[in-house]
DNA sequence: ACTGCATGATTCACTAGATGAATAATTACA
DNA sequence: TGTAATTATTCATCTAGTGAATCATGCAGT
């Protein structure tokens, strides 16, 4: 992901995309900056998970299982905003890598209870450290006042958009 | 893209991803917010391009050709941070849709000169309008002072990261 | 002019991630 | 009991993207 992919999206209106030259851009292009910086943050995060031998998706799975031990694959799919068949493949890999276990529920033998193994928990700890390091890297160059201001504005935007921080990004629009 | 994809990345450290409950989160999680809002902006943009019958990647291609009529596929690939073979497929589609033309250069018959057709230009105009509307939607709910402040902070972050607004996001790391 | 190398476009085989439909096992319920 | 819903799983398929190989063309040096 760190190489030259065409990367769908991150350019909702590039700066001066037309022939009208000069730096008189009528609009702030906050959308463009958000897409660009968001993609950048996302790729930094991907670099870090790659160092741990997992993909960003798998990192998300590990985080969710970490805070909801025993969750079913169905519930995991809902939380991710994904579908069951995708979760099967995801867990297949994480189970094969020894990070997650499947155990049939004793009360409902249809469901697989998902839990982190010891090394799964270790990966989760590494993920948290990586996230903290990344946070520090991102605000590096801003004063703490600026960082606080930025956080406030982004939080406001996020709540205005109805993006609940607890729910996954790809989930807004409901898997039909 | 608007449905439940697992969407790699957009969660560089979710809020309170562990068992330690309570809302005492030590870090602002600006990285998380940036990923989330960036993904959101990207998806809004994708919704708009979909309405025009093109993908976000194709929209990027149209923008570039629009400001550099006669560009070669090779130069386009470099600008996109992609590879020639990918561009072939992209242009195949846009040419088939009647938005772009290929003409062999008279001075160097290896190169294909890319230009927008009339409807290609029309799509480009629609893209610009869509981008403006999206910009308005994004800052809706912020005062103009807040919007200006946010723009300043995001610009600063962007330049700190060395993200040149003219260069595509996926291009930082050079296609080896 | 000839040779050899570089370059632009194209094709092709392959991969990864994702999606929806079908199926089997199990549970819930009328 | 029997019928419907639910969980996990498999499978065929799709799309985007990648790198290698190929072909035609241009160009520099001899």
């Amino acid at each position: 992901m760190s190489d030259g992919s065409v990367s769908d999206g991150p350019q909702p209106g590039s700066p001066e995309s037309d022939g009208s030259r000069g730096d008189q851009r009528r609009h702030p292009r906050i959308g463009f900056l958000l897409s660009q910086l968001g993609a950048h943050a996302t790729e930094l995060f991907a670099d870090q998970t790659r160092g741990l031998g997992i993909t960003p998706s798998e990192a998300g799975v590990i985080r969710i299982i970490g805070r909801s031990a025993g969750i079913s694959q169905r519930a995991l799919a809902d939380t991710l905003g994904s579908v069951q068949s995708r979760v099967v493949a995801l867990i297949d890999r994480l189970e094969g890598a020894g990070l997650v276990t499947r155990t049939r529920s004793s009360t409902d033998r249809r469901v697989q209870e998902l839990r982190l193994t010891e090394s799964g928990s270790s990966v989760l700890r590494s993920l948290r450290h990586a996230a903290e390091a990344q946070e520090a890297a991102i605000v590096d160059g801003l004063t703490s006042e600026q960082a606080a201001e930025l956080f406030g504005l982004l939080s406001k935007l996020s709540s205005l958009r109805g993006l609940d921080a607890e729910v996954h990004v790809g989930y807004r629009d409901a898997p039909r």
Side-chain angles (χ1 to χ4, degrees), chain A:
Chain A
M1 187 189 276
S2 61
D3 49 346
S5 74
V6 174
S7 92
D8 274 11
Q11 271 173 319
S14 78
E16 44 207 327
S17 10
D18 55 346
S20 76
R21 303 293 317 160
D23 15 44
Q24 165 235 14
R25 49 195 73 169
R26 283 168 306 175
H27 285 285
R29 303 283 95 145
I30 290 178
F32 172 68
L33 285 170
L34 277 179
S35 288
Q36 192 183 42
L37 288 167
H40 185 235
T42 294
E43 289 192 26
L44 284 184
F45 181 61
D47 288 343
Q48 291 173 326
T49 64
R50 195 175 302 117
L52 295 170
I54 58 177
T55 67
S57 296
E58 290 163 355
V61 169
I62 286 179
R63 255 188 280 106
I64 294 172
I65 298 179
R67 78 173 163 223
S68 313
I71 191 177
S72 72
Q73 294 186 187
R74 171 60 185 226
L76 177 58
D78 287 348
T79 307
L80 285 171
S82 184
V83 292
Q84 290 172 306
S85 61
R86 180 78 197 109
V87 166
V88 170
L90 241 18
I91 300 297
D92 278 352
R93 238 206 78 164
L94 291 174
E95 192 181 33
L99 302 178
V100 165
T101 60
R102 278 192 249 233
T103 41
R104 226 90 225 189
S105 161
S106 52
T107 65
D108 183 344
R109 280 182 323 205
R110 287 172 303 181
V111 338
Q112 298 273 32
E113 299 178 346
L114 303 175
R115 290 189 181 77
L116 296 183
T117 64
E118 220 5 270
S119 51
S121 301
S122 160
V123 165
L124 178 53
R125 280 189 293 274
S126 301
L127 281 173
R128 293 199 194 117
H129 295 150
E132 292 178 18
Q134 180 177 339
E135 182 72 13
I138 284 179
V139 299
D140 187 48
L142 297 184
T143 68
S144 56
E145 290 78 19
Q146 287 175 321
E149 177 79 14
L150 178 59
F151 175 66
L153 289 168
L154 294 179
S155 297
K156 175 147 197 186
L157 271 196
S158 181
S159 65
L160 282 173
R161 300 292 145 255
L163 299 177
D164 183 348
E166 197 63 27
V167 172
H168 185 94
V169 212
Y171 191 45
R172 300 189 325 276
D173 177 326
R176 55 204 131 109

